[in-house]
Amino acid sequence: TLVPPDSLNHCLDKVEMALLEAVREQSSAFFEESIRFATLQEWIELLLQEVISLQAKVDSLIRDSVTPMRIVPADHSQKQEWNSVVELLDSASELIRCKASIAGYLSAADDLTALDQVYYGRQKLKQNNLAQLQALQGVAKQLDQYETLIVTNLREELVESFLDWNSDSTGANSGGQSSSPTYALSRSTTSGGGQGHSVQNLSRVRDIVQALTKCHGLKLTVQAYNTRLQDVMRLIVRTVVAEFADSAPSGASGMALDRFLDCLDMTMEQLLALLTSASDVAAFCTIEGFSFREE
């Protein structure tokens, strides 16, 4: 049979009282834990604020200290690179100025200075790897062409100086015999005793010989001088013979004996003067220590 509901009321009251007693016993621990949880939340918030503050300080430290310390070596390296670029541009500008000045010196017939500029340009071209620049690829070839032209000019000037070595000398005595070499006259005096070659002219010859030695052009100069000397000797013979032949009735074959001897004397006199000049040139080169056999 079923128990009537009213008979269970006292049981429900006992259960309710037991629950209330359990809640009463556990409520103090619950409130304590609630307080501890709230305190823990406050600590977490404080720690979070401290972490944020420390993060800001770290960011400031990186921005103000670490980053500049990294920038300084980078800036120094970049500065060195820019200095290298500036030095490269300065060298290139100096090389271009040097090359442009050569034409002006050649126009002014200042071949020695032009040759110095050629060698200075080559020295600049070797610095800072200028030869590897695309814009300066043709400079070396242009300098070689300038050097060839200058050597040709100096060779012709030196040959002319050697051929005219005694042409202005007034040191011959009254008997028609040649005096001491022009070189000796020029070293002793350049006025009163005879014109000869001035000290400036001799200095010019020395500079030309030294320049040709530096350019390895003396050998060709000697060959050119020998060729020109032989040409002048042939021209002397043809000119003197033609002059005397024109006055003969039937040309050279019709000259009288005295005219032939006069022609021979004049020819020998001219050839002797030319060979004497060549001998004086050889004496000058020997005294100065110039070697024409070794390049």
Side-chain angles (χ1 to χ4, degrees):
T1 60
L2 296 174
V3 180
D6 295 337
S7 62
L8 298 175
N9 287 336
H10 68 282
C11 294
L12 292 174
D13 292 338
K14 291 181 178 180
V15 171
E16 183 178 358
M17 292 302 294
L19 290 174
L20 289 175
E21 184 65 22
V23 170
R24 185 183 64 78
E25 293 178 353
Q26 299 297 327
S27 61
S28 60
F30 173 77
F31 287 118
E32 289 178 359
E33 292 299 328
S34 297
I35 293 173
R36 291 177 61 186
F37 182 74
T39 303
L40 182 61
Q41 282 185 330
E42 291 178 359
W43 288 355
I44 290 175
E45 290 179 357
L46 291 175
L47 288 175
L48 182 60
Q49 291 178 358
E50 290 183 1
V51 169
I52 294 175
S53 176
L54 289 175
Q55 185 64 41
K57 291 180 179 179
V58 170
D59 293 340
S60 176
L61 184 63
I62 293 175
R63 182 181 62 255
D64 298 336
S65 300
V66 177
T67 302
M69 290 177 64
R70 295 175 179 175
I71 292 176
V72 169
D75 290 346
H76 180 68
S77 177
Q78 187 176 13
K79 180 181 179 181
Q80 289 181 334
E81 293 177 356
W82 280 112
N83 288 337
S84 299
V85 173
V86 171
E87 184 178 356
L88 180 66
L89 293 177
D90 289 341
S91 298
S93 177
E94 180 67 15
L95 176 61
I96 294 174
R97 183 207 62 78
C98 171
K99 184 176 72 69
S101 68
I102 296 176
Y105 287 121
L106 289 176
S107 299
D110 192 355
D111 297 314
L112 294 177
T113 304
L115 185 61
D116 291 338
Q117 291 299 308
V118 169
Y119 278 94
Y120 178 72
R122 286 176 177 168
Q123 181 182 1
K124 279 292 181 182
L125 195 61
K126 294 179 181 179
Q127 295 178 355
N128 299 320
N129 296 322
L130 290 180
Q132 297 181 3
L133 294 180
Q134 186 66 28
L136 301 177
Q137 289 291 326
V139 174
K141 184 177 180 180
Q142 293 175 351
L143 292 178
D144 292 340
Q145 293 174 348
Y146 276 131
E147 182 183 13
T148 301
L149 177 61
I150 294 170
V151 169
T152 301
N153 293 340
L154 292 177
R155 180 169 60 243
E156 293 178 354
E157 181 179 352
L158 185 61
V159 169
E160 291 298 329
S161 296
F162 283 169
L163 290 175
D164 297 337
W165 193 254
N166 287 338
S167 60
D168 296 332
S169 177
T170 58
N173 56 21
S174 59
Q177 297 177 353
S178 61
S179 65
S180 58
T182 306
Y183 176 55
L185 288 175
S186 62
R187 290 177 65 95
S188 60
T189 178
T190 57
S191 62
Q195 295 178 359
H197 283 270
S198 67
V199 175
Q200 292 181 349
N201 290 338
L202 291 177
S203 178
R204 174 72 176 177
V205 170
R206 295 188 189 97
D207 292 340
I208 293 176
V209 172
Q210 292 174 358
L212 290 174
T213 302
K214 186 177 181 180
C215 298
H216 305 286
L218 269 184
K219 185 176 181 180
L220 292 178
T221 302
V222 173
Q223 294 176 358
Y225 175 60
N226 291 335
T227 301
R228 288 287 304 278
L229 187 63
Q230 294 174 14
D231 292 340
V232 172
M233 293 175 68
R234 296 188 187 95
L235 180 62
I236 289 175
V237 173
R238 287 198 301 267
T239 302
V240 174
V241 171
E243 181 180 353
F244 279 87
D246 290 341
S247 61
S250 58
S253 60
M255 281 193 298
L257 180 59
D258 55 345
R259 294 292 295 173
F260 174 76
L261 293 177
D262 291 340
C263 176
L264 184 60
D265 289 341
M266 181 173 291
T267 302
M268 294 302 298
E269 180 182 355
Q270 295 295 326
L271 292 178
L272 182 60
L274 185 62
L275 294 176
T276 300
S277 175
S279 177
D280 292 342
V281 170
F284 166 78
C285 295
T286 300
I287 295 175
E288 293 293 331
F290 299 144
S291 176
F292 296 100
R293 295 184 180 180
E294 297 181 359
E295 286 291 314

